[in-house]
Amino acid sequence: MMLPLGVLPLGVLLLGASPIASLELDIVNLRSAKGVLQICLTARPESFPDCKDDPRAVSRTVKATAPRVQFEGLTPGNYAAAIIHDENGNKKLDTLMGIPREGFGFSRNPVIRFGPPKFDAARFPVDGAANPQQVKMRYLL
């Protein structure tokens, strides 16, 4: 069968397409429904936990009243998520003498010592299947 010049069968076009994955983050243990949740999702260890210098990172801000967030169209791979509960909406994590006054959480809910966890402690796979992740918020003050 001869195809017109410039027309390729759909199967040929799909061979080069990247697989697409989705992720659902379920954020629990919120102290209040005030403010917003600032979410960073990255696959680059050097860009965790703030998503800086990662053009493929996904940063979202959602109302704290809607703590379930769906991400679509992700490239399969290993990701880590960091969440801040910005209760007063000032677009930053408020601290008192270096101790967070607002909530924070990380994928896989790693043990927190001093500062944020390393990427590997929060890393989880995202593949073609639905990937629910539950993140427990923590409050120190």
Side-chain angles (χ1 to χ4, degrees):
M1 170 169 104
M2 293 291 293
L3 294 173
L5 190 60
V7 176
L8 294 174
L10 182 59
V12 171
L13 293 174
L14 293 177
L15 281 177
S18 296
I20 302 223
S22 62
L23 165 69
E24 180 179 292
L25 280 181
D26 187 19
I27 302 157
V28 299
N29 295 348
L30 288 167
R31 167 165 70 190
S32 74
K34 294 180 189 174
V36 296
L37 301 171
Q38 294 180 353
I39 303 166
C40 160
L41 180 67
T42 183
R44 290 184 60 196
E46 58 274 11
S47 296
F48 181 76
D50 56 14
C51 286
K52 286 188 179 169
D53 301 322
D54 183 357
R56 292 185 157 189
V58 181
S59 295
R60 264 199 211 152
T61 301
V62 300
K63 292 180 180 181
T65 56
R68 183 169 286 156
V69 182
Q70 186 76 28
F71 295 89
E72 300 289 343
L74 298 174
T75 301
N78 290 313
Y79 288 82
I83 297 101
I84 294 171
H85 184 190
D86 183 10
E87 291 179 276
N88 60 9
N90 66 352
K91 299 182 181 172
K92 66 178 186 172
L93 178 65
D94 295 329
T95 61
L96 177 65
M97 296 177 16
I99 300 170
R101 296 179 69 198
E102 296 177 302
F104 59 89
F106 302 96
S107 48
R108 291 189 48 214
N109 304 302
V111 173
I112 303 297
R113 298 205 188 327
F114 296 100
K118 299 286 187 201
F119 179 86
D120 285 343
R123 177 181 48 132
F124 61 94
V126 172
D127 54 30
N131 290 289
Q133 278 289 316
Q134 186 181 75
V135 176
K136 295 177 184 173
M137 297 303 291
R138 298 176 189 172
Y139 298 86
L140 302 178
L141 296 177

